[in-house]
Amino acid sequence: MSRSIVRQSKFRHVFGQTVKAEQGYDDIRVSKVTWDSSFCAVNPKFLAVIVESSGGGAFLVLPLSKSGRVDKNYPLVIGHSGPVLDIDWCPHDDNILASCSEDCTAMVWQIPDHSLTRPLSDPIVILEGHSKRVGIVTWHPTARNILLTAGSDNLIIIWNVGTGEPLISMDDHPDLIYSISWNRNGSLFCTTCKDRRLRVCDPRKREVVAERLAPHEGIRPMRAIFTRDGNIFTTGFTRMSQRELGLWDPTHFEEPIALLELDTSNGVLLPYYDADANMVYLCGKGDSSIRYFEITDEPPYVHYLSTFSTKEPQRGMGFMPKRGVDVTKCEIARLFKLLDKKCEPITMTVPRKSDLFQDDLYPDTAGPEPAMEVEEWLDGRDEDPILVSMREGYVPPKSRELKVAKKNLLDSRPTTRRSMSTLDTDSLPVSTLWQQ
């Protein structure tokens, strides 16, 4: 007689809950641009949302405490001349935000701790090197001031934000890049592309170290993220347009570790990964549900846990870093769901009876201190994130000002530094060259 044994997991009963209406953010005109990014970025201090704006691109930055109805005249961040496509908070400074846009630039902003009193239009650095719109911006997980951008010119550029200079440029992709994800220590990143290939790239060697054609057989966009073990989790479509997820070992790309069909729908599944719990939250654009899975070492490797559903479809999603969750309520994740006119925080909680700190739910997590400097990373050094304890709850450090040291002062405005990926020194006045 066979007995079914239920898999043991502390995350089996994780449940989602929408916060009370007054703790949400209302009257936000979420951007309607047709681009498969999350439109939302969040950290322990701020919520940033890409919004509709006339005459250029803008996004809204709110302190997390400023919930409720957002005044329609609330100041925006308005530096881009085209629609903003992607935003990302710096993991090492909660006041630094990067944005990219259809105007072919990426910009880095210093957000003040208090609420904005007037529109912010002067970034601390402008990164100009792409010839077409820039659709992806993502920070290096462990090195200070390293930012990666990818554009519709199929170019990937890695920048030193401290000087505004491009460090590395890669043109290995023949078509539009859909997604990019760094691994845990920032030594590699994986990309998905319109040519249906999944690639693993080593930026310092400027080469593709592994690739796999059609991990999902459908032609619709794919997404890929690195897990903490160095495997790659992907979402895509089957040939029959069913949504599918996969887990791959980049050293053996021939066969997947796991491949799982989900449902039939048009929305691209955006994966959000919690490295501490080894859980993935899947949010489809246009879906009204969030599915979550646990990745383990035992078959079937990707375990379905549950689905959190609401009535309204989501336009985008923000994912709080682990240091921003409430440990007193056994909250292991917080997602910020964008609707047409508002943003709803959703808490993911493990039911526990004790009010004490739960060591098993909260291992030390990646903190805000960078593990190394730009030069060390370029020289080939790899470091895992510097971990902090969650026992006392997370206290954000005081804001530090990002200083941009320019070698070539091409702009007379003192507040903004423009950086160029190529510079013709013959065209500079003699006095400028002499200063160099």
Side-chain angles (χ1 to χ4, degrees), residues 59-313:
F59 54 92
L60 173 75
V61 179
L62 292 169
L64 284 184
S65 57
K66 198 173 175 61
S67 56
R69 186 172 165 275
V70 179
D71 186 348
K72 66 176 186 296
N73 296 318
Y74 192 87
L76 303 175
V77 182
I78 53 169
H80 286 286
S81 59
V84 177
L85 299 178
D86 196 15
I87 49 178
D88 192 29
W89 287 105
C90 177
H92 308 127
D93 188 333
D94 286 342
N95 293 70
I96 299 293
L97 176 75
S99 63
C100 62
S101 162
E102 285 192 9
D103 65 8
C104 307
T105 68
M107 297 183 182
V108 179
W109 307 85
Q110 176 109 27
I111 308 296
D113 273 332
H114 54 79
S115 299
L116 290 177
T117 52
R118 61 174 188 268
L120 183 60
S121 58
D122 285 325
I124 46 178
V125 66
I126 299 177
L127 307 172
E128 293 180 315
H130 291 280
S131 59
K132 292 185 180 176
R133 67 180 179 178
V134 187
I136 297 171
V137 61
T138 176
W139 293 91
H140 191 284
T142 59
R144 190 196 308 273
N145 289 353
I146 292 182
L147 181 69
L148 181 150
T149 61
S152 296
D153 52 3
N154 311 333
L155 197 62
I156 294 172
I157 302 178
I158 296 174
W159 306 83
N160 177 355
V161 172
T163 61
E165 294 179 320
L167 302 172
I168 293 164
S169 183
M170 295 181 68
D171 58 358
D172 301 275
H173 295 74
D175 214 329
L176 181 68
I177 300 164
Y178 286 139
S179 72
I180 295 183
S181 167
W182 292 97
N183 67 353
R184 187 161 171 80
N185 64 9
S187 58
L188 304 168
F189 58 81
C190 66
T191 68
T192 57
C193 179
K194 199 173 180 179
D195 70 353
R196 298 173 60 214
R197 285 181 185 272
L198 169 64
R199 292 175 173 85
V200 179
C201 303
D202 184 330
R204 289 168 298 193
K205 291 181 181 172
R206 294 170 173 78
E207 66 182 25
V208 177
V209 293
E211 65 179 293
R212 156 85 199 202
L213 175 62
H216 300 284
E217 293 184 343
I219 58 172
R220 308 223 40 231
M222 290 185 295
R223 284 283 187 278
I225 50 170
F226 263 110
T227 69
R228 69 183 184 198
D229 309 318
N231 293 329
I232 296 175
F233 181 91
T234 60
T235 66
F237 293 82
T238 66
R239 195 172 288 159
M240 305 301 291
S241 287
Q242 275 203 299
R243 294 198 290 197
E244 189 175 49
L245 58 83
L247 187 65
W248 306 82
D249 179 352
T251 58
H252 300 94
F253 257 152
E254 299 80 28
E255 287 295 319
I257 300 172
L259 204 59
L260 191 64
E261 285 187 16
L262 293 177
D263 59 2
T264 305
S265 180
N266 288 333
V268 175
L269 284 169
L270 304 178
Y272 296 91
Y273 179 62
D274 176 356
D276 299 333
N278 219 6
M279 283 175 61
V280 176
Y281 300 84
L282 295 185
C283 312
K285 278 205 164 181
D287 289 10
S288 53
S289 62
I290 299 169
R291 293 180 181 85
Y292 37 107
F293 298 81
E294 186 180 1
I295 300 173
T296 67
D297 297 332
E298 41 189 81
Y301 304 107
V302 180
H303 304 268
Y304 170 74
L305 292 174
S306 187
T307 299
F308 171 76
S309 295
T310 53
K311 291 177 182 173
E312 297 181 75

